[in-house]
mmCIF file of all heavy atoms in Angstrom:
data_model
loop_
_atom_site.group_PDB
_atom_site.id
_atom_site.type_symbol
_atom_site.label_atom_id
_atom_site.label_comp_id
_atom_site.label_asym_id
_atom_site.label_seq_id
_atom_site.Cartn_x
_atom_site.Cartn_y
_atom_site.Cartn_z
ATOM 1 N N VAL A 80 -12.473 -0.277 -1.075
ATOM 2 C CA VAL A 80 -12.921 -1.108 -2.198
ATOM 3 C C VAL A 80 -11.796 -2.022 -2.668
ATOM 4 O O VAL A 80 -12.017 -3.214 -2.936
ATOM 5 C CB VAL A 80 -13.417 -0.216 -3.354
ATOM 6 C CG1 VAL A 80 -13.769 -1.063 -4.571
ATOM 7 C CG2 VAL A 80 -14.625 0.597 -2.923
ATOM 8 N N ALA A 81 -10.587 -1.501 -2.762
ATOM 9 C CA ALA A 81 -9.455 -2.333 -3.162
ATOM 10 C C ALA A 81 -9.195 -3.441 -2.147
ATOM 11 O O ALA A 81 -8.863 -4.569 -2.517
ATOM 12 C CB ALA A 81 -8.206 -1.468 -3.342
ATOM 13 N N ALA A 82 -9.356 -3.125 -0.856
ATOM 14 C CA ALA A 82 -9.166 -4.143 0.183
ATOM 15 C C ALA A 82 -10.187 -5.255 0.078
ATOM 16 O O ALA A 82 -9.894 -6.419 0.388
ATOM 17 C CB ALA A 82 -9.229 -3.495 1.563
ATOM 18 N N ALA A 83 -11.396 -4.922 -0.354
ATOM 19 C CA ALA A 83 -12.422 -5.948 -0.532
ATOM 20 C C ALA A 83 -12.118 -6.843 -1.733
ATOM 21 O O ALA A 83 -12.481 -8.028 -1.734
ATOM 22 C CB ALA A 83 -13.794 -5.290 -0.706
ATOM 23 N N LEU A 84 -11.441 -6.297 -2.740
ATOM 24 C CA LEU A 84 -11.183 -7.058 -3.961
ATOM 25 C C LEU A 84 -9.928 -7.929 -3.861
ATOM 26 O O LEU A 84 -9.921 -9.070 -4.332
ATOM 27 C CB LEU A 84 -11.045 -6.099 -5.148
ATOM 28 C CG LEU A 84 -12.298 -5.322 -5.560
ATOM 29 C CD1 LEU A 84 -11.962 -4.362 -6.691
ATOM 30 C CD2 LEU A 84 -13.405 -6.270 -5.987
ATOM 31 N N VAL A 85 -8.870 -7.398 -3.275
ATOM 32 C CA VAL A 85 -7.596 -8.125 -3.225
ATOM 33 C C VAL A 85 -7.741 -9.359 -2.333
ATOM 34 O O VAL A 85 -8.278 -9.269 -1.223
ATOM 35 C CB VAL A 85 -6.482 -7.203 -2.683
ATOM 36 C CG1 VAL A 85 -5.184 -7.993 -2.473
ATOM 37 C CG2 VAL A 85 -6.239 -6.059 -3.646
ATOM 38 N N PRO A 86 -7.274 -10.518 -2.788
ATOM 39 C CA PRO A 86 -7.384 -11.743 -1.971
ATOM 40 C C PRO A 86 -6.382 -11.747 -0.814
ATOM 41 O O PRO A 86 -5.279 -12.288 -0.926
ATOM 42 C CB PRO A 86 -7.081 -12.859 -2.977
ATOM 43 C CG PRO A 86 -6.223 -12.217 -4.013
ATOM 44 C CD PRO A 86 -6.702 -10.801 -4.123
ATOM 45 N N LEU A 87 -6.771 -11.152 0.288
ATOM 46 C CA LEU A 87 -5.909 -11.117 1.464
ATOM 47 C C LEU A 87 -6.147 -12.306 2.384
ATOM 48 O O LEU A 87 -5.200 -12.846 2.964
ATOM 49 C CB LEU A 87 -6.141 -9.814 2.236
ATOM 50 C CG LEU A 87 -5.877 -8.517 1.464
ATOM 51 C CD1 LEU A 87 -6.253 -7.317 2.330
ATOM 52 C CD2 LEU A 87 -4.432 -8.437 1.012
ATOM 53 N N LEU A 88 -7.416 -12.710 2.525
ATOM 54 C CA LEU A 88 -7.759 -13.833 3.388
ATOM 55 C C LEU A 88 -8.253 -15.040 2.611
ATOM 56 O O LEU A 88 -8.027 -16.182 3.023
ATOM 57 C CB LEU A 88 -8.829 -13.420 4.402
ATOM 58 C CG LEU A 88 -8.489 -12.277 5.355
ATOM 59 C CD1 LEU A 88 -9.655 -12.010 6.299
ATOM 60 C CD2 LEU A 88 -7.227 -12.594 6.144
ATOM 61 N N SER A 89 -8.947 -14.827 1.507
ATOM 62 C CA SER A 89 -9.538 -15.928 0.749
ATOM 63 C C SER A 89 -9.511 -15.614 -0.740
ATOM 64 O O SER A 89 -9.627 -14.453 -1.146
ATOM 65 C CB SER A 89 -10.979 -16.165 1.209
ATOM 66 O OG SER A 89 -11.603 -17.153 0.403
ATOM 67 N N THR A 90 -9.351 -16.658 -1.543
ATOM 68 C CA THR A 90 -9.389 -16.512 -2.996
ATOM 69 C C THR A 90 -10.759 -16.846 -3.559
ATOM 70 O O THR A 90 -10.957 -16.761 -4.778
ATOM 71 C CB THR A 90 -8.347 -17.435 -3.655
ATOM 72 O OG1 THR A 90 -8.624 -18.796 -3.293
ATOM 73 C CG2 THR A 90 -6.937 -17.070 -3.207
ATOM 74 N N ASP A 91 -11.692 -17.242 -2.693
ATOM 75 C CA ASP A 91 -13.030 -17.631 -3.145
ATOM 76 C C ASP A 91 -14.067 -16.814 -2.402
ATOM 77 O O ASP A 91 -14.580 -17.208 -1.359
ATOM 78 C CB ASP A 91 -13.255 -19.134 -2.910
ATOM 79 C CG ASP A 91 -14.519 -19.638 -3.588
ATOM 80 O OD1 ASP A 91 -15.166 -18.836 -4.292
ATOM 81 O OD2 ASP A 91 -14.866 -20.815 -3.401
ATOM 82 N N THR A 92 -14.347 -15.614 -2.920
ATOM 83 C CA THR A 92 -15.321 -14.712 -2.327
ATOM 84 C C THR A 92 -16.309 -14.271 -3.402
ATOM 85 O O THR A 92 -16.045 -14.457 -4.601
ATOM 86 C CB THR A 92 -14.632 -13.468 -1.725
ATOM 87 O OG1 THR A 92 -14.041 -12.701 -2.789
ATOM 88 C CG2 THR A 92 -13.553 -13.862 -0.730
ATOM 89 N N PRO A 93 -17.432 -13.679 -3.013
ATOM 90 C CA PRO A 93 -18.399 -13.218 -4.020
ATOM 91 C C PRO A 93 -17.853 -12.164 -4.973
ATOM 92 O O PRO A 93 -18.421 -11.943 -6.038
ATOM 93 C CB PRO A 93 -19.543 -12.652 -3.164
ATOM 94 C CG PRO A 93 -19.436 -13.362 -1.861
ATOM 95 C CD PRO A 93 -17.970 -13.581 -1.655
ATOM 96 N N VAL A 94 -16.751 -11.479 -4.609
ATOM 97 C CA VAL A 94 -16.196 -10.432 -5.471
ATOM 98 C C VAL A 94 -14.888 -10.860 -6.126
ATOM 99 O O VAL A 94 -14.213 -10.032 -6.754
ATOM 100 C CB VAL A 94 -15.973 -9.137 -4.663
ATOM 101 C CG1 VAL A 94 -17.284 -8.596 -4.133
ATOM 102 C CG2 VAL A 94 -14.992 -9.375 -3.520
ATOM 103 N N SER A 95 -14.522 -12.133 -6.002
ATOM 104 C CA SER A 95 -13.249 -12.600 -6.556
ATOM 105 C C SER A 95 -13.182 -12.419 -8.060
ATOM 106 O O SER A 95 -12.108 -12.147 -8.622
ATOM 107 C CB SER A 95 -13.029 -14.075 -6.203
ATOM 108 O OG SER A 95 -12.837 -14.239 -4.822
ATOM 109 N N SER A 96 -14.304 -12.581 -8.738
ATOM 110 C CA SER A 96 -14.307 -12.448 -10.194
ATOM 111 C C SER A 96 -14.035 -11.021 -10.646
ATOM 112 O O SER A 96 -13.675 -10.793 -11.806
ATOM 113 C CB SER A 96 -15.647 -12.917 -10.759
ATOM 114 O OG SER A 96 -16.721 -12.153 -10.218
ATOM 115 N N HIS A 97 -14.206 -10.049 -9.736
ATOM 116 C CA HIS A 97 -13.966 -8.645 -10.082
ATOM 117 C C HIS A 97 -12.584 -8.174 -9.647
ATOM 118 O O HIS A 97 -12.240 -7.006 -9.881
ATOM 119 C CB HIS A 97 -15.022 -7.762 -9.421
ATOM 120 C CG HIS A 97 -16.427 -8.146 -9.758
ATOM 121 N ND1 HIS A 97 -16.976 -7.949 -11.005
ATOM 122 C CD2 HIS A 97 -17.400 -8.735 -9.009
ATOM 123 C CE1 HIS A 97 -18.230 -8.383 -11.015
ATOM 124 N NE2 HIS A 97 -18.509 -8.868 -9.817
ATOM 125 N N ALA A 98 -11.806 -9.049 -9.034
ATOM 126 C CA ALA A 98 -10.493 -8.662 -8.502
ATOM 127 C C ALA A 98 -9.448 -8.688 -9.609
ATOM 128 O O ALA A 98 -8.463 -9.420 -9.553
ATOM 129 C CB ALA A 98 -10.091 -9.591 -7.361
ATOM 130 N N ASP A 99 -9.659 -7.872 -10.622
ATOM 131 C CA ASP A 99 -8.724 -7.821 -11.739
ATOM 132 C C ASP A 99 -7.561 -6.892 -11.402
ATOM 133 O O ASP A 99 -7.725 -5.893 -10.689
ATOM 134 C CB ASP A 99 -9.434 -7.336 -12.998
ATOM 135 C CG ASP A 99 -8.558 -7.475 -14.236
ATOM 136 O OD1 ASP A 99 -8.489 -8.588 -14.788
ATOM 137 O OD2 ASP A 99 -7.936 -6.478 -14.632
ATOM 138 N N LEU A 100 -6.401 -7.219 -11.929
ATOM 139 C CA LEU A 100 -5.198 -6.431 -11.677
ATOM 140 C C LEU A 100 -5.403 -4.975 -12.086
ATOM 141 O O LEU A 100 -5.033 -4.056 -11.345
ATOM 142 C CB LEU A 100 -4.024 -7.048 -12.438
ATOM 143 C CG LEU A 100 -2.763 -6.197 -12.587
ATOM 144 C CD1 LEU A 100 -2.144 -5.935 -11.228
ATOM 145 C CD2 LEU A 100 -1.766 -6.894 -13.506
ATOM 146 N N ILE A 101 -5.984 -4.755 -13.249
ATOM 147 C CA ILE A 101 -6.162 -3.390 -13.754
ATOM 148 C C ILE A 101 -7.089 -2.593 -12.834
ATOM 149 O O ILE A 101 -6.846 -1.407 -12.556
ATOM 150 C CB ILE A 101 -6.735 -3.421 -15.188
ATOM 151 C CG1 ILE A 101 -5.907 -4.354 -16.077
ATOM 152 C CG2 ILE A 101 -6.769 -2.020 -15.762
ATOM 153 C CD1 ILE A 101 -4.477 -3.935 -16.249
#
Side-chain angles (χ1 to χ4, degrees):
V80 175
L84 294 177
V85 174
L87 301 176
L88 300 181
S89 175
T90 59
D91 190 4
T92 66
V94 297
S95 293
S96 59
H97 304 289
D99 189 81
L100 165 64
I101 309 298

